[in-house]
């Protein structure tokens, strides 16, 4: 049964709640189990274990970036073609996205094992933290491949009309991870290896359930033999849209590596650990906003493909309001209650003292971060990848990279603390990124106007009677 018809009929508010609530719950639960990893390690292993895990985060984000490259691109394209009522094309997107996932999975798992120590040192591992980071990565790498499979398929499950099922798959895996953390770390005493095994086993369970959805005869979109034939135009279209979240995640990992080096220079390993905790809190808020945007994506993509521009504007406006409000609440908590938040992760007084200013500087502009993220996610949902890429990369690459080097030098010469300069650089880049996002949005307001027709990305050899794809 076609589960997507409601996307052009039901009120936008109800639709956004229906699609965004499961996605938000998924993202929040996923953030919670990342937080739980740090809480268990901080309470049962120590500050250096938290720092070691923080070193692995940018590497895992790079792997997640490959999942975003395929998963976000495939789900966005599927929403648009379903808006044009082309089920066969949607099935081809499903099959071809899996081919891409297998290809990238093989590359990063093989490369990760071959160059592990070199990669960890590049991302800021020291003599005190590399043993923890290595132990974690050796176990978790296969699980990261399964993460990309799950990321891709749950996005397609949501795009094909099953948002609640997508939620239960992801949330179930996260809850399993939390339970296994408690068992492996606090009961069995496996330390950071326990956190890695908990992650790997939970990812395996999610991947299996996701695959089973698309072999079920009751599913609207299923694996079909014709869908596994490689199609270069599908690869191109999927990767072009997925390029925005891929570059955003990849850049974030690269920036964290540079940031960790600056933190070690100005504050030592404890500064890296403090950033790991603060970034976890910030990621919790960002995941909430991303979940909201994931709920927006199938609604925006479908109505963009169907030409319902008034509904497109309505879902964008509503999503933006909720994203900014979330940022305001998160920023207030970080500014007013930083020590309480930090104590949930560690009782190390030195780590908490370093973390307090970091918590405030890195989260005070969270409303602007919500604005920037929503813009980027919206434009990738409606097949405008270059706008999405520019919006998402400006804050992390164009502004943050130079500022984490310049600002600490300026603050130090003025007699201040260079570590504070690193934190200030993050705040300033958030402001400048939001300004650029607003400028880019102002150039694309035509998509909301009545009568605007979305362009079709179709294969060059197409000569058939439909707008979708060639007969073959």
């Amino acid at each position: 049964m076609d589960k997507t018809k409601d996307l052009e009929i039901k009120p936008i508010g109800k639709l956004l709640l229906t699609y965004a609530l499961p996605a938000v719950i998924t993202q929040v639960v996923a953030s919670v189990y990342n937080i739980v990893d740090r809480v268990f390690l901080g309470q049962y292993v120590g500050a250096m274990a938290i720092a070691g895990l923080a070193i692995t985060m940018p590497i895992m984000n790079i792997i997640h970036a490959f999942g975003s490259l395929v998963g976000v691109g495939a789900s966005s394209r599927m929403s648009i073609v379903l808006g044009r009522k082309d089920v066969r094309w949607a099935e081809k997107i499903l099959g071809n996205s899996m081919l891409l996932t297998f290809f990238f999975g093989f590359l990063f798992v093989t490369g990760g094992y071959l160059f592990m120590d070199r990669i960890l040192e590049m991302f800021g591992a020291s003599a005190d933290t590399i043993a923890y980071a290595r132990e974690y990565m050796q176990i978790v790498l296969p699980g990261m491949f399964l993460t990309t499979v799950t990321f891709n398929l749950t996005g397609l499950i949501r795009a094909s009309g099953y948002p609640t099922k997508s939620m239960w798959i992801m949330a179930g895996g996260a809850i399993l991870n939390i339970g296994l953390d408690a068992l492996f770390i606090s009961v069995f005493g496996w330390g950071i290896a326990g956190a890695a095994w908990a992650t790997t086993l939970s990812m395996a369970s999610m991947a299996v359930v996701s695959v089973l959805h698309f072999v079920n005869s009751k599913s609207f979109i299923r694996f079909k033999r014709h869908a596994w034939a490689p199609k270069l135009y599908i690869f191109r279209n999927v990767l072009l849209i997925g390029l925005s979240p891929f570059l955003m995640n990849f850049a974030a990992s690269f920036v964290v590596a540079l940031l960790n080096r600056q933190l070690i220079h100005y504050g030592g390993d404890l500064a890296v650990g403090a950033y790991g905790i603060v970034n976890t809190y910030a990621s919790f808020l960002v995941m909430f906003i991303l979940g909201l945007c994931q709920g927006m994506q199938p609604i925006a993509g479908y109505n963009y493909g169907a030409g319902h521009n008034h509904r497109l504007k309505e879902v964008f406006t509503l999503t933006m309001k909720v994203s900014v409000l979330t940022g305001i609440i998160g920023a207030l908590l970080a500014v007013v209650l930083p020590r309480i938040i930090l104590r949930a992760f560690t009782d190390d007084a030195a780590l908490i003292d370093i973390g307090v200013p970091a918590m405030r500087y890195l989260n005070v502009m969270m409303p602007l971060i919500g604005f920037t993220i929503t813009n980027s996610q919206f434009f990738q949902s409606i097949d405008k990848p270059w706008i999405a890429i520019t919006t998402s990369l400006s804050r992390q690459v164009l502004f943050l990279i130079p500022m984490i080097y310049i600002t600490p030098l300026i603050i130090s010469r003025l007699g201040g603390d260079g570590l504070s300069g690193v934190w200030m650089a993050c705040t300033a880049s958030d402001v400048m990124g939001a300004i650029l996002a607003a400028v880019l949005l102002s150039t694309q307001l035509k998509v909301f106007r009545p009568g605007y027709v979305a362009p079709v990305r179709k294969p060059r050899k197409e000569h058939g009677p439909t707008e979708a794809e060639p007969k073959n």
Side-chain angles (χ1 to χ4, degrees), residues 16 20 23-24 288-298 319 323 370 373-375 377-378 381:
L16 187 60
V24 166
F288 186 97
I289 295 169
L290 285 173
L292 182 66
C293 292
Q294 285 181 2
M296 172 190 67
Q297 179 265 314
T319 305
S323 294
I373 290 173
T374 304
N375 273 289
Q377 295 287 309
F378 173 73
S381 298

Side-chain angles (χ1 to χ4, degrees), residues 357-403:
M359 183 68 72
R360 288 171 172 155
Y361 279 121
L362 269 65
N363 290 286
V364 68
M365 293 300 169
M366 190 57 68
L368 297 185
I369 295 174
F371 173 81
T372 304
I373 290 173
T374 304
N375 273 289
S376 176
Q377 295 287 309
F378 173 73
F379 286 115
Q380 76 184 28
S381 298
I382 63 169
D383 201 8
K384 291 186 176 291
W386 297 114
I387 301 293
I389 290 169
T390 304
T391 301
S392 61
L393 292 185
S394 61
R395 170 178 160 264
Q396 299 179 87
V397 177
L398 181 62
F399 301 125
L400 183 56
I401 289 179
M403 293 195 69

Side-chain angles (χ1 to χ4, degrees), residues 248-450:
M248 182 176 66
N249 286 323
F250 191 87
S253 301
F254 179 68
V255 169
V256 168
L258 299 178
L259 193 58
N260 281 343
R261 289 178 178 273
Q262 287 294 88
L263 292 173
I264 290 174
H265 177 71
Y266 288 104
D269 286 331
L270 282 181
V272 175
Y275 175 71
I277 294 174
V278 173
N279 194 42
T280 299
Y281 173 79
S283 296
F284 180 83
L285 299 173
V286 168
M287 288 295 183
F288 186 97
I289 295 169
L290 285 173
L292 182 66
C293 292
Q294 285 181 2
M296 172 190 67
Q297 179 265 314
I299 305 169
Y302 188 97
N303 284 284
Y304 180 71
H308 302 318
N309 298 337
H310 64 290
R311 292 174 63 81
L312 183 67
K313 181 178 181 180
E314 189 177 352
V315 72
F316 171 74
T317 303
L318 182 57
T319 305
M320 181 63 75
K321 289 178 180 178
V322 180
S323 294
V324 173
L325 179 60
T326 300
I328 292 172
I329 295 171
L332 286 174
L333 291 174
V335 171
V336 176
L337 304 171
R339 288 187 178 273
I340 293 176
I341 297 171
L342 289 162
R343 284 196 188 101
F345 294 88
T346 181
D347 56 2
D348 188 301
L351 190 58
I352 291 174
D353 288 339
I354 292 176
V356 168
M359 183 68 72
R360 288 171 172 155
Y361 279 121
L362 269 65
N363 290 286
V364 68
M365 293 300 169
M366 190 57 68
L368 297 185
I369 295 174
F371 173 81
T372 304
I373 290 173
T374 304
N375 273 289
S376 176
Q377 295 287 309
F378 173 73
F379 286 115
Q380 76 184 28
S381 298
I382 63 169
D383 201 8
K384 291 186 176 291
W386 297 114
I387 301 293
I389 290 169
T390 304
T391 301
S392 61
L393 292 185
S394 61
R395 170 178 160 264
Q396 299 179 87
V397 177
L398 181 62
F399 301 125
L400 183 56
I401 289 179
M403 293 195 69
I404 61 175
Y405 291 98
I406 296 171
T407 308
L409 292 176
I410 294 174
I411 298 299
S412 296
R413 290 185 179 181
L414 293 175
D417 179 14
L419 182 58
S420 296
V422 178
W423 306 137
M424 291 178 188
C426 299
T427 305
S429 67
D430 293 337
V431 175
M432 290 185 284
I435 292 172
L436 181 58
V439 172
L440 293 173
L441 173 63
S442 69
T443 67
Q444 298 296 318
L445 296 178
K446 62 185 178 181
V447 301
F448 301 126
R449 294 172 187 163

